[in-house]
Amino acid sequence: MESAFRERMAWLTTELNRHIYAYHVLDAPTIPDAEYDSMFRELQKLEAAHPESMTQDSPTFRVGAAPIPEFKQVTHTVPMLSLSNGFSEEDVDNFDRRVREGLGADQVEYCGELKFDGLAISLRYENGVFVQAATRGDGATGEDVTTNMRTVRAIPLRLHGDDVPSVLEVRGEALMFKADFARLNERQREAGLKEYMNPRNAAAGSLRQLDSRITAARNLRFFSYGIGALEGAAMPESHSKLLDWLGQLGLPVSKERAVVVGAAGMLGYFTDIGQRRANLVYEIDGVVYKVDRLEDQRKLGFVSRAPRFAMAHKFPAEEALTQVKDIGVQVGRTGAITPVARLAPVFVGGVTVENATLHNESEVRRKDIRIGDTVIVRRAGDVIPEVVAYVPEKRPADAREFVMPTDCPVCGSPIVRLEDEAVARCSGGWTHCSAQKKGGLMHFVSRRAIDVEGLGDQLIEQLVDKGVIHTAADLYLLDQDSLCALDRMATRSAQNVLAALEKSKDTTLARFIFGLGIRNVGESTAKALAQHFGNLDALLHAASFEGGLQLLEVADVGPVVARSIAEFLTDPENIQLVQQLRSHLRWKEGAHVLKNTGALAGKTFVLTGTLPTLSRDEAAALIEAAGGKVAGSVSKKTSYVVAGEEAGSKLVKAQELGIAILDEAALQELLAPPSPTEELP
């Protein structure tokens, strides 16, 4: 019995140190964070029960890992320690209780902050000038990354204001925004290079580039969350005021922070951030609570590897290990054949996951995912779970490669793959393939298309499977009796669906075009087609005339999109569907316009960040109503970028290109009808 726990402790120590090296030094994680945390907690419990068996190489003695040899080492004047982790409401209650007991207080104020998924960095300023940056390393010694951190545009090279401290060491997080991470991996794919697994490792890899020009191209960001050393200035009385002061000095500080009271306040902050997490422009894996009064922090002090006055409250794991039991395929509304990993059930991101997308056949080959593999599964927000990578050391000898079927598993039609596409497709079309039919109908009734409230996926599944409807036009022939004959459909529910269908008859041409589900035609392209042609007949004529060449006159419609539109709107069955739907739906039609008119005619706008009173959809609608165009990315052709709070990479690119930046008030001024002597700049 005694040797058993010693063997377990030795094994945990070896494994954790191996994973630390892979994660912090090689930037190539081998297991999900949740599994690492579980192993770490197990070792902590064993060491607490058997302290005589602790070894000097235990990962509980250190934070992070030793610096890599290519960089000069920096000794931190004040150690950069880690935080204790909490995973439940009970952990938060216990943390609050320990703090109150330690201070002899009935209640305590805490500052809640985001726990960024990046790389801990220390910045040193002397007399207001940036002189050094270092990674956390092992907590006592880090890596000198000064040259690379100078490329981070958000970091001031000189602090703002005249009254600056003689020495200031700022602690914070280097990270990469989601959009920048996606662009980096796209460039990596195009160059045939290895993709990064997540933004955290992309940021770490970018800071460890020996050529700072590579780092500069990665668009890293930085947020301050504390200080290590301060000379020549008075320390603010609270952590929240310290963050305010750092912001006044020109250092980036996240606006997503709050001062709360007690465990209830901390849990409320955790819930609020959790609900907004998916919409943040960066990745976070939890929140951090710190006792707000700095004098109280000093009273509470530290334990061996963490402060007593702070705790990280982590979100449920969004990555987990599981086994691939099989690989099947799923048929989408456009006939796309998507390989899907059938998994041993695993709890990740707050739900039990049994299926995860593998995107397409090429991705399966590139990631080398095989049946029988142990894999890392990721789920972020409401995004469909995906298989990130397999674990090489756990691959069984009998692992089998995926074989793409030659026929559609739903309708039996041949599966084809065009030379210029990565995706294979069922050739049956919506008339022959029930999977495509269901997907097309679900898209047609969705909120951004025709918007039939209450007509959900399960109801559409029943309507198609029981042969009640065959096309979208059949939806408008439904009656109460046919709906009540379905499973779990009462009279009141049927009446609600019929009322929603009646309401949906009043729509717009843009929504109708989008709802048709034409390949490569998204919401913005549908709006551009509606604005350009003004009415359905003009669009149908353009699609059928000279192979759809007139479609190329529409902004953002290139040869591939034009071909998709022409093929769809010249197919006899699709034409019949369009005419049938036209007899049920109503929208305001106008003349065929070749040029936009209005106060913003000829101007292209890009929206980024959160505006004070307008949602992005509302702002886009106002711009388009005034004749302007709303694009999704910034280019030299962009006229204005409208930026709100937490504006991301689009704002940075606009500044680099010298494009005019507007806030909401300035946008409203442009939208106001100009006087006869006024002209847009």
Side-chain angles (χ1 to χ4, degrees):
M1 184 68 179
E2 185 173 334
S3 61
F5 72 74
R6 285 201 179 113
E7 288 177 3
R8 182 63 178 172
M9 290 172 69
W11 182 86
L12 286 168
T13 297
T14 301
E15 284 296 289
L16 286 167
N17 281 330
R18 181 171 70 87
H19 295 313
I20 287 171
Y21 180 81
Y23 190 97
H24 290 279
V25 178
L26 301 181
D27 300 323
T30 50
I31 60 172
D33 288 349
E35 185 165 345
Y36 176 89
D37 290 335
S38 177
M39 293 168 64
F40 193 95
R41 291 197 300 274
E42 182 183 356
L43 181 58
Q44 283 182 310
K45 289 179 181 178
L46 287 171
E47 290 178 346
H50 309 283
E52 72 282 356
S53 298
M54 291 179 64
T55 57
Q56 290 301 311
D57 64 339
S58 170
T60 61
F61 280 120
R62 65 182 185 178
V63 181
I68 59 177
E70 290 85 352
F71 291 92
K72 184 176 70 175
Q73 295 188 4
V74 174
T75 300
H76 300 300
T77 54
V78 177
M80 294 183 69
L81 301 179
S82 185
L83 296 174
S84 299
N85 289 326
F87 299 88
S88 65
E89 292 187 8
E90 183 182 5
D91 291 335
V92 177
D93 286 333
N94 288 336
F95 168 66
D96 179 54
R97 175 183 52 76
R98 290 193 299 270
V99 167
R100 287 187 287 107
E101 290 174 352
L103 296 175
D106 293 329
Q107 63 179 23
V108 176
E109 285 190 338
Y110 300 89
C111 184
E113 303 172 69
L114 303 183
K115 186 177 184 301
F116 296 106
D117 197 12
L119 190 70
I121 294 291
S122 176
L123 306 179
R124 183 177 176 88
Y125 289 85
E126 294 179 358
N127 297 316
V129 178
F130 173 63
V131 296
Q132 189 177 71
T135 64
R136 182 172 61 186
D138 62 2
T141 304
E143 303 149 0
D144 188 334
V145 289
T146 307
T147 303
N148 287 344
M149 287 301 292
R150 284 185 187 277
T151 70
V152 180
R153 294 180 180 89
I155 295 176
L157 298 181
R158 182 184 292 273
L159 297 177
H160 296 184
D162 298 323
D163 188 17
V164 298
S166 54
V167 174
L168 174 64
E169 278 190 17
V170 181
R171 302 288 164 81
E173 198 92 357
L175 66 155
M176 186 175 287
F177 283 10
K178 295 174 184 175
D180 297 322
F181 171 70
R183 279 190 285 271
L184 171 60
N185 267 347
E186 184 178 353
R187 293 196 300 268
Q188 294 288 104
R189 282 194 297 272
E190 291 172 352
L193 300 174
K194 174 187 173 183
E195 290 183 50
Y196 288 93
M197 289 183 64
N198 52 53
R200 189 269 170 206
N201 292 98
S206 300
L207 275 179
R208 289 187 170 99
Q209 296 292 329
L210 297 179
D211 185 345
S212 62
R213 292 172 297 183
I214 298 176
T215 308
R218 300 286 176 83
N219 204 19
L220 293 180
R221 316 304 177 102
F222 178 84
F223 285 109
S224 309
Y225 53 62
I227 64 173
L230 177 65
E231 297 175 15
M235 179 74 79
E237 64 180 18
S238 67
H239 182 72
S240 55
K241 290 182 178 179
L242 171 63
L243 295 178
D244 293 339
W245 180 56
L246 292 178
Q248 293 167 10
L249 292 174
L251 290 153
V253 182
S254 172
K255 296 181 176 66
E256 301 289 349
R257 61 186 192 272
V259 176
V260 299
V261 178
M266 289 187 280
L267 291 171
Y269 175 76
F270 179 83
T271 300
D272 175 58
I273 295 298
Q275 291 172 345
R276 297 189 286 119
R277 180 186 183 188
N279 296 322
L280 296 175
V281 297
Y282 36 69
E283 293 283 359
I284 61 173
D285 57 3
V287 300
V288 175
Y289 311 124
K290 296 176 184 173
V291 172
D292 197 35
R293 288 188 73 247
L294 297 185
E295 178 58 30
D296 288 344
Q297 289 188 10
R298 285 189 281 272
K299 288 180 181 177
L300 291 167
F302 298 80
V303 291
S304 60
R305 64 182 298 273
R308 290 191 178 93
F309 55 79
M311 186 186 82
H313 189 179
K314 301 186 77 171
F315 291 123
E318 293 199 329
E319 288 185 352
L321 286 181
T322 189
Q323 187 179 33
V324 178
K325 295 296 187 181
D326 197 4
I327 298 178
V329 296
Q330 181 175 293
V331 186
R333 67 176 177 84
T334 63
I337 305 295
T338 303
V340 177
R342 311 300 183 191
L343 307 169
V346 61
F347 193 78
V348 56
V351 299
T352 298
V353 173
E354 298 184 55
N355 300 294
T357 182
L358 292 166
H359 300 293
N360 55 59
E361 185 179 11
S362 297
E363 276 291 281
V364 179
R365 305 292 176 232
R366 185 182 68 79
K367 293 180 178 178
D368 192 22
I369 306 299
R370 302 182 187 182
I371 300 166
D373 275 342
T374 295
V375 294
I376 299 174
V377 178
R378 176 185 299 153
R379 181 180 182 271
D382 294 325
V383 177
I384 297 171
E386 67 168 332
V387 174
V388 178
Y390 78 99
V391 182
E393 59 263 36
K394 294 190 177 184
R395 169 167 284 174
D398 59 349
R400 294 180 288 119
E401 292 189 5
F402 165 70
V403 178
M404 174 67 80
T406 56
D407 297 326
C408 174
V410 176
C411 69
S413 300
I415 290 176
V416 296
R417 178 176 172 182
L418 301 179
E419 291 184 3
D420 59 345
E421 291 192 350
V423 177
R425 299 181 189 276
C426 165
S427 60
W430 64 267
T431 54
H432 302 290
C433 184
S434 63
Q436 293 185 58
K437 186 180 299 182
K438 291 173 184 177
L441 287 166
M442 292 172 188
H443 173 77
F444 180 80
V445 303
S446 63
R447 185 173 63 86
R448 294 186 177 273
I450 300 302
D451 190 17
V452 185
E453 188 176 353
L455 192 55
D457 295 356
Q458 292 183 348
L459 186 54
I460 287 176
E461 292 261 3
Q462 280 198 74
L463 290 168
V464 173
D465 289 342
K466 296 189 176 185
V468 180
I469 61 173
H470 301 282
T471 71
D474 293 338
L475 290 169
Y476 296 96
L477 301 178
L478 290 171
D479 55 30
Q480 186 170 305
D481 289 341
S482 61
L483 286 171
C484 287
L486 301 174
D487 298 336
R488 297 182 298 277
M489 179 61 67
T491 301
R492 183 63 180 272
S493 299
Q495 291 172 346
N496 290 339
V497 170
L498 292 174
L501 282 166
E502 186 63 33
K503 181 181 178 182
S504 73
K505 290 180 179 180
D506 290 306
T507 187
T508 66
L509 178 57
R511 282 179 173 269
F512 175 71
I513 295 170
F514 178 58
L516 291 174
I518 304 170
R519 279 177 58 196
N520 301 312
V521 176
E523 195 176 1
S524 61
T525 303
K527 287 180 180 178
L529 290 166
Q531 289 175 347
H532 183 88
F533 292 105
N535 62 79
L536 182 58
D537 288 332
L539 173 59
L540 293 173
H541 175 76
S544 61
F545 184 69
E546 294 183 349
L549 285 177
Q550 288 185 15
L551 296 169
L552 294 173
E553 298 174 1
V554 182
D556 288 342
V557 173
V560 173
V561 178
R563 184 169 66 247
S564 294
I565 298 168
E567 287 176 353
F568 186 95
L569 293 179
T570 55
D571 181 277
E573 291 180 332
N574 291 337
I575 293 174
Q576 182 182 10
L577 173 63
V578 167
Q579 297 301 349
Q580 288 173 342
L581 286 169
R582 192 178 196 178
S583 68
H584 297 291
L585 303 177
R586 300 177 291 267
W587 58 78
K588 183 179 179 181
E589 291 199 334
H592 182 178
V593 291
L594 296 178
K595 193 172 183 180
N596 284 331
T597 58
L600 304 184
K603 303 296 181 181
T604 300
F605 292 74
V606 171
L607 302 170
T608 182
T610 303
L611 300 178
T613 65
L614 294 173
S615 68
R616 287 200 193 184
D617 287 347
E618 291 169 339
L622 290 172
I623 291 168
E624 290 166 352
K629 172 189 168 186
V630 179
S633 58
V634 178
S635 70
K636 292 180 180 178
K637 296 181 180 180
T638 303
S639 308
Y640 301 97
V641 167
V642 182
E645 287 191 6
E646 300 290 353
S649 58
K650 295 175 184 177
L651 176 60
V652 175
K653 187 169 183 180
Q655 293 168 336
E656 292 173 349
L657 295 176
I659 294 168
I661 312 296
L662 305 178
D663 58 13
E664 184 180 311
L667 172 63
Q668 295 284 17
E669 287 183 17
L670 286 184
L671 290 166
S675 67
T677 58
E678 289 180 335
E679 291 185 0
L680 289 175

